[in-house]
Amino acid sequence: MDELLENHWHHLPIAEVRQILEVHADGLRDLEVRHRLERFGPNQVTAVRQRSAMLRLLAQFNNPLIYILLASAVVTALLKGPVDAIAIALVVVVNALLGFVQESRAEAEIESLRRMVTTEATVIREGERKRVPSAELVPGDLVALQSGDRVPADLRLAEVRELHVDESALTGESVPVPKDLGPLAVDAPLAERFDMAYAGSVVTYGQARGLVVATGDGTETGRIAKLVGSASPLETPLTRKIAHFSKVLLVGIVALAATAFIVGVLRRESWAEMLIAAVTLAVAAIPEGLPAVVTITLAIGVRRMARRRAIIRKLPAVETLGSTTVVCSDKTGTLTRNEMTVVRVQAGGETFELEGSGYEPSGEVRRAGQPLRPGEGSALEECLRAGILCNDTQLERIGERWQVQGDPTEAALRVSAAKLGLARPEALARFHRLDEIPFESDRQYMATLHTDGDVRRVDLKGSVERVLARCTHALGASGQALELNAQAVLAQAEALASRGLRVLAFAKKVLEADRAHLTHEDVAADMVFLGLQAMLDPPRPEAIAAVRACRSAGVRVKMITGDHPLTAAAIARELGLEGSGQAITGRELERLHERELIDVADRCSVFARVAPEQKLELVEALQSRGHVVAMTGDGVNDAPALRKADIGVAMGITGTDAAKEAAAMVLTDDDFATIEAAIEEGRGVFDNLTKFIVWTLPTNIGQGMVILAAVVLGLLLPILPVQVLWINMTTAVFLGLALAFEPKEAGIMARPPRARDTPILTAELVTRTLFISALLLVAAFGVFEWEQSVGEDLASARTAAVNVFVLVQGFYLFNCRSLTRSVFSVGLFSNLWAVGGLITMIAAQVAFTYLPILNHLFKSDPVRPLAWLWALLASLLGVLFVGLEKWVRGRIRKRRPRRPLRKSRVQHA
């Protein structure tokens, strides 16, 4: 028993498994169950220990920008009193609480995984059949399975009767897997271990008994839970850029404040006064409204995405989508419908194509591109009828969706027949079933016996090779029996299979009228071949358009699935994935060194038979190449990669709880096309954040430069700390927030993704920011000195300087609504928030200037009308300069010859 967790159970004969587990044919004794439960623990996935709520809350303050704000609040409280400090502190606290709430909702994936193995199970103990909670299962327990059961633990199958298990949530297989007794090769991948049944999978057909070989954390589901817990989420491009920007800002503020203090002391000024000046400069340079605007802008993006059926669970994920360069998508249920569909039928020497997809029984049947007319296609009708007679699956409509009870493959056969007007209830009413031979994996066929009046009809379906071996004739196009050309049929089947289609063959036979039972000898020979039905899990039509749109936006789409390589490659070709000629398998990935893996991950687009940990490795490999990776998925096997990716995207309808809880975004419509819409919204969010920073920085830099200039020149401060707070907070609320509501610019999806290493402010934007800052320095300082020179008192002169800052910022706001286009091309009134914000800000500034209570609180004083004119002229000068700069740069861009698109250094597979 010591080597229990080290055995390759699928590779061992069942007798050896029984010996290792020390279990008898009648199951474990109750005493032995208790001992093993104490030794191995309950059959539950152990939750990863999470940080306490207090630590998560404190972590929200671990940001350089927050350090600046906290320091400024403390210094302001010490030097100027608590009122000014409270305003700054409130911004910090609100920002931290928003982050805390988001993170608290994001750590539930382990609990959802635990729920997957806490069902009830049927066990045989001491020869008796019992129902027990799955948490009480132990290694060595003999578990009985039947159709509809969820597998409660990892089982080595000991007895199998036509067992089919849906493992799509674990392996990505699009159809239920038939099981047998093995043993198998030691290196058989998870999706091909046909003698195993894994915890969390669902029995769709048949019965079996299996020995428990792993419980709780030892199961494949438990192993994935560990991967989820170890895959800590990365910082997003936005948080990285904001953190870097904050560090640069921190260094700049400290340097300026220190310079002001040192220069003042060297000029023999009072060190206490210079300390106040340095603190004033620091407060002036801090963009207090930035954290709040970042949070609000992201929240607006969340609301917009919700209207487009994308639920954001983590705020920074909004912007991350806009920076995405690669979307790694699961196939089954994400790019495809997870509904098997017959797309082609070969019958009577003719080829028929079936339109429609999924289980919706609608769509034309075409021959040579033309719709089939009623009464045509006798051989086709017989082939489709065999598909619904030799069939045990129930298909019913519940609400807007069709639900399958049984095998999805058989459901597809029912739908294909319905498209020709053949319904199963009417068929069974005419052809009453008398007996059947159920499908078994070793025989690879199913047969049913029906009565049609005095005639006994046998219908057979199964693998092409097994059915052909029992046929001597084939049904012709007009219903006549012809000599069978088996080689031609095999060639047709191989051609269909090479396109990734699952192919089934059908045959029939007439028996004596008095037959009531069916034997294997009855279907051993003399059958009439009816045709082939080829099916696949089709791609979503909207996914094809979405992939095309992503490519035009410079976003590469990669398929990572546990399905068969041929099937994956076929779906990839239909989707139009770049370089979809072949699929790289998990076994091939295993043989690659780290550098080779990174190269293959970057250049290839289709990966099949991939294990959960390999999905994680592929995401990490792409990230190492500098890609911003979005990972989509719906199964348990996708959860670790969803969490590790820069943004995980889960399916809301078909997705498992584990996938939803691991993801940063959930699609409520399971539509891959929604990702394209979310990428568009994400780009708009990043644009608006950049616009806010470009708008707010000149005020902070300009205020700092004004104070520094006053210290260096030995003059009075043109603005006071309390006035600095007035400017920063009121303009951020009344003006800056309008940029959060700015509509997306035209052509936003025609440009490539923003490179990961591109700073928030490009050289062009830095130049513009420095000019506006210099304009504020000259205008505010000039107006302050001029007003004093004409006899205005100090308070009035400072009020005039404050008005310069506010009006320049107000008019400059409209220049920032687009970073490259003029305000007139954007539309002067296309953002009414900006118009309303400017009007409100001017009204607030008039109150700041003339209202006595505000004069008292902010040390302001009424100004003469000419002072307003100086501020207005400075504002118009800024508008004209930025407009001229945009025009010149636009002309240069138009004249600059376009560079041809760079070809990838590595050819795509």
Side-chain angles (χ1 to χ4, degrees):
M1 292 286 286
D2 292 335
E3 72 274 26
L4 186 61
L5 300 179
E6 302 175 6
N7 278 294
H8 299 285
W9 298 108
H10 61 278
H11 177 60
L12 301 177
I14 190 63
E16 188 173 343
V17 173
R18 290 182 184 275
Q19 184 178 358
I20 293 173
L21 295 174
E22 300 175 4
V23 60
H24 302 288
D26 58 352
L28 296 174
R29 304 292 188 268
D30 288 340
L31 182 60
E32 180 63 24
V33 170
R34 287 197 295 272
H35 289 162
R36 295 190 183 191
L37 192 60
E38 292 175 359
R39 178 177 177 183
F40 295 102
N43 180 30
Q44 294 176 335
V45 176
T46 303
V48 176
R49 185 177 181 180
Q50 304 292 339
R51 291 181 301 173
S52 67
M54 180 59 68
L55 287 178
R56 292 202 309 272
L57 179 60
L58 292 176
Q60 307 306 316
F61 297 92
N62 186 23
N63 183 287
L65 184 59
I66 301 299
Y67 300 157
I68 300 172
L69 292 172
L70 289 174
S72 67
V74 172
V75 174
T76 302
L78 293 175
L79 297 178
K80 304 298 296 183
V83 176
D84 298 339
I86 289 174
I88 302 173
L90 280 176
V91 173
V92 176
V93 171
V94 169
N95 186 65
L97 288 176
L98 286 172
F100 173 74
V101 170
Q102 288 295 326
E103 184 174 332
S104 296
R105 296 175 52 198
E107 301 296 335
E109 60 265 27
I110 302 300
E111 181 60 29
S112 65
L113 285 166
R114 292 178 67 185
R115 288 197 296 271
M116 292 192 64
V117 292
T118 54
T119 57
E120 283 195 340
T122 302
V123 297
I124 291 88
R125 290 175 178 170
E126 298 183 352
E128 295 183 3
R129 197 178 182 95
K130 302 178 180 179
R131 291 287 289 177
V132 300
S134 63
E136 297 179 6
L137 291 179
V138 296
D141 256 327
L142 182 60
V143 176
L145 299 174
Q146 61 183 8
S147 180
D149 285 350
R150 184 177 293 275
V151 180
D154 286 1
L155 308 179
R156 172 61 166 89
L157 298 175
E159 301 175 28
V160 172
R161 180 177 174 80
E162 307 149 31
L163 184 70
H164 287 66
V165 179
D166 180 359
E167 297 178 340
S168 59
L170 192 64
T171 66
E173 280 283 0
S174 54
V175 296
V177 180
K179 297 295 185 176
D180 57 34
L181 298 181
L184 304 171
V186 69
D187 60 347
L190 186 69
E192 296 177 5
R193 296 177 185 174
F194 305 124
D195 57 357
M196 298 287 296
Y198 292 104
S201 56
V202 178
V203 177
T204 61
Y205 189 80
Q207 298 175 343
R209 289 187 178 187
L211 292 170
V212 175
V213 295
T215 59
D217 294 338
T219 63
E220 287 296 319
T221 299
R223 190 168 60 85
I224 293 173
K226 293 178 183 177
L227 290 175
V228 174
S230 63
S232 57
L234 297 178
E235 289 183 312
T236 69
L238 174 66
T239 57
R240 282 191 292 266
K241 285 182 172 65
I242 291 294
H244 177 71
F245 171 75
S246 301
K247 291 176 182 177
V248 172
L249 190 62
L250 175 62
V251 172
I253 291 172
V254 172
L256 281 176
T259 300
F261 180 78
I262 293 171
V263 169
V265 171
L266 292 177
R267 290 178 56 86
R268 301 185 183 279
E269 300 286 349
S270 167
W271 71 267
E273 291 181 3
M274 290 304 97
L275 180 60
I276 294 175
V279 170
T280 303
L281 189 153
V283 172
I286 296 170
E288 288 91 346
L290 180 58
V293 169
V294 168
T295 301
I296 292 170
T297 304
L298 293 177
I300 291 171
V302 167
R303 191 171 67 231
R304 288 176 175 173
M305 287 186 182
R307 289 199 294 266
R308 303 183 78 166
R309 300 183 178 88
I311 304 301
I312 298 296
R313 302 182 62 253
K314 303 173 184 178
L315 281 182
V318 178
E319 179 275 331
T320 308
L321 278 164
S323 304
T324 298
T325 59
V326 175
V327 177
C328 295
S329 177
D330 185 36
K331 179 185 73 68
T332 306
T334 307
L335 291 169
T336 65
R337 298 173 61 96
N338 198 18
E339 297 175 348
M340 296 300 292
T341 304
V342 175
V343 295
R344 182 165 294 190
V345 178
Q346 303 271 9
E350 298 178 309
T351 300
F352 302 89
E353 295 181 349
L354 281 68
E355 295 182 339
S357 60
Y359 299 137
E360 182 73 34
S362 61
E364 289 185 336
V365 179
R366 292 177 174 268
R367 177 175 55 191
Q370 299 299 319
L372 201 65
R373 290 178 295 184
E376 295 183 330
S378 298
L380 171 66
E381 184 174 326
E382 283 297 308
C383 182
L384 297 179
R385 179 177 288 115
I388 56 175
L389 293 178
C390 197
N391 194 314
D392 288 326
T393 293
Q394 300 297 319
L395 185 64
E396 59 180 338
R397 186 169 192 139
I398 301 177
E400 297 296 320
R401 294 177 61 86
W402 287 86
Q403 299 291 333
V404 176
Q405 295 181 7
D407 193 321
T409 300
E410 292 189 345
L413 299 177
R414 289 193 56 181
V415 174
S416 66
K419 291 177 181 178
L420 198 67
L422 301 177
R424 188 165 186 265
E426 287 78 3
L428 290 178
R430 174 185 171 186
F431 301 96
H432 178 66
R433 181 184 291 190
L434 299 175
D435 198 9
E436 68 175 282
I437 298 176
F439 179 89
E440 289 187 5
S441 56
D442 58 340
R443 291 193 300 263
Q444 295 185 17
Y445 66 80
M446 173 183 179
T448 53
L449 175 64
H450 302 268
T451 177
D452 181 15
D454 295 331
V455 178
R456 296 295 188 266
R457 167 184 173 137
V458 178
D459 288 280
L460 179 74
K461 85 164 186 288
S463 68
V464 178
E465 294 81 2
R466 295 300 177 93
V467 171
L468 282 178
R470 287 160 171 74
C471 296
T472 55
H473 294 80
L475 197 66
S478 301
Q480 74 279 21
L482 304 175
E483 186 176 349
L484 174 66
N485 186 344
Q487 292 303 317
V489 174
L490 285 173
Q492 293 173 344
E494 289 176 3
L496 293 170
S498 67
R499 298 176 54 190
L501 301 177
R502 177 184 172 95
V503 184
L504 290 178
F506 300 84
K508 73 172 184 178
K509 183 179 182 180
V510 175
L511 297 180
E512 306 87 45
D514 60 347
R515 293 295 298 275
H517 299 286
L518 190 62
T519 66
H520 292 289
E521 288 73 21
D522 293 328
V523 295
D526 300 324
M527 302 289 294
V528 178
F529 178 74
L530 299 178
L532 306 173
Q533 294 196 48
M535 63 190 71
L536 82 164
D537 180 11
R540 297 171 178 268
E542 58 273 17
I544 297 175
V547 168
R548 189 184 309 116
C550 285
R551 290 186 65 176
S552 68
V555 180
R556 297 171 61 188
V557 179
K558 296 178 182 289
M559 179 194 295
I560 305 177
T561 178
D563 215 338
H564 193 279
L566 285 177
T567 304
I571 295 297
R573 285 193 294 271
E574 292 196 41
L575 288 166
L577 293 187
E578 184 180 9
S580 56
Q582 71 179 79
I584 305 299
T585 66
R587 283 185 176 178
E588 292 172 317
L589 292 177
E590 287 176 355
R591 295 193 289 266
L592 299 178
H593 297 296
E594 183 177 352
R595 289 185 179 179
E596 293 174 323
L597 176 63
I598 293 173
D599 180 62
V600 168
D602 193 29
R603 67 182 173 86
C604 298
S605 296
V606 187
F607 302 88
R609 285 288 191 255
V610 175
E613 60 269 23
Q614 289 177 321
K615 292 187 179 185
L616 205 58
E617 291 170 358
L618 287 169
V619 170
E620 292 172 336
L622 289 167
Q623 289 171 332
S624 71
R625 278 283 174 94
H627 287 293
V628 177
V629 182
M631 174 72 190
T632 74
D634 59 355
V636 178
N637 61 327
D638 299 321
L642 287 174
R643 187 168 184 183
K644 185 64 176 179
D646 294 277
I647 175 168
V649 184
M651 302 297 110
I653 298 175
T654 60
T656 60
D657 288 342
K660 294 175 188 176
E661 296 301 329
M665 184 174 82
V666 178
L667 306 183
T668 61
D669 57 359
D670 281 16
D671 189 347
F672 185 85
T674 304
I675 298 174
E676 177 213 344
I679 289 174
E680 182 182 4
E681 292 292 348
R683 290 187 175 189
V685 165
F686 191 88
D687 279 359
N688 290 349
L689 288 174
T690 303
K691 292 170 185 177
F692 175 81
I693 292 173
V694 170
W695 170 80
T696 193
L697 270 188
T699 298
N700 301 111
I701 296 174
Q703 289 173 148
M705 292 172 66
V706 164
I707 295 169
L708 181 62
V711 171
V712 170
L713 297 175
L715 302 175
L716 293 172
L717 294 179
I719 51 177
L720 298 173
V722 68
Q723 294 169 344
V724 166
L725 285 174
W726 165 266
I727 296 171
N728 290 353
M729 297 307 294
T730 55
T731 56
V733 172
F734 297 134
L735 299 176
L737 280 180
L739 293 174
F741 296 92
E742 185 65 30
K744 296 182 294 293
E745 294 188 45
I748 196 171
M749 288 297 285
R751 66 194 192 203
R754 189 181 183 93
R756 182 189 287 266
D757 56 353
T758 301
I760 293 179
L761 298 183
T762 62
E764 175 182 327
L765 297 179
V766 169
T767 301
R768 188 181 304 169
T769 298
L770 292 177
F771 174 81
I772 299 297
S773 301
L775 174 64
L776 286 169
L777 167 64
V778 173
F781 215 108
V783 168
F784 172 71
E785 292 295 330
W786 177 261
E787 289 300 298
Q788 286 189 97
S789 68
V790 296
E792 293 295 310
D793 60 30
L794 182 59
S796 293
R798 281 173 169 159
T799 303
V802 171
N803 290 341
V804 169
F805 276 100
V806 171
L807 286 187
V808 169
Q809 281 292 86
F811 283 89
Y812 179 52
L813 176 75
F814 288 84
N815 279 124
C816 293
R817 289 187 54 210
S818 174
L819 300 178
T820 56
R821 300 160 59 200
S822 73
V823 64
F824 300 105
S825 64
V826 174
L828 193 62
F829 298 101
S830 58
N831 185 351
L832 295 179
W833 288 94
V835 177
L838 179 60
I839 295 172
T840 305
M841 187 68 246
I842 291 175
Q845 198 58 30
V846 170
F848 172 86
T849 305
Y850 297 107
L851 200 62
I853 187 171
L854 294 182
N855 293 156
H856 175 73
L857 289 174
F858 294 100
K859 310 299 187 292
S860 60
D861 219 17
V863 300
R864 61 194 184 117
L866 193 58
W868 286 102
L869 179 60
W870 298 133
L872 183 60
L873 288 175
S875 304
L876 294 176
L877 180 61
V879 170
L880 290 174
F881 171 82
V882 176
L884 179 62
E885 180 231 1
K886 288 182 180 179
W887 181 81
V888 171
R889 291 186 186 275
R891 299 281 291 182
I892 294 173
R893 278 192 291 266
K894 286 182 180 179
R895 291 180 179 178
R896 185 182 301 155
R898 289 189 176 184
R899 296 179 181 178
L901 292 174
R902 291 186 304 168
K903 292 185 178 181
S904 175
R905 292 175 297 160
V906 184
Q907 291 297 318
H908 293 284

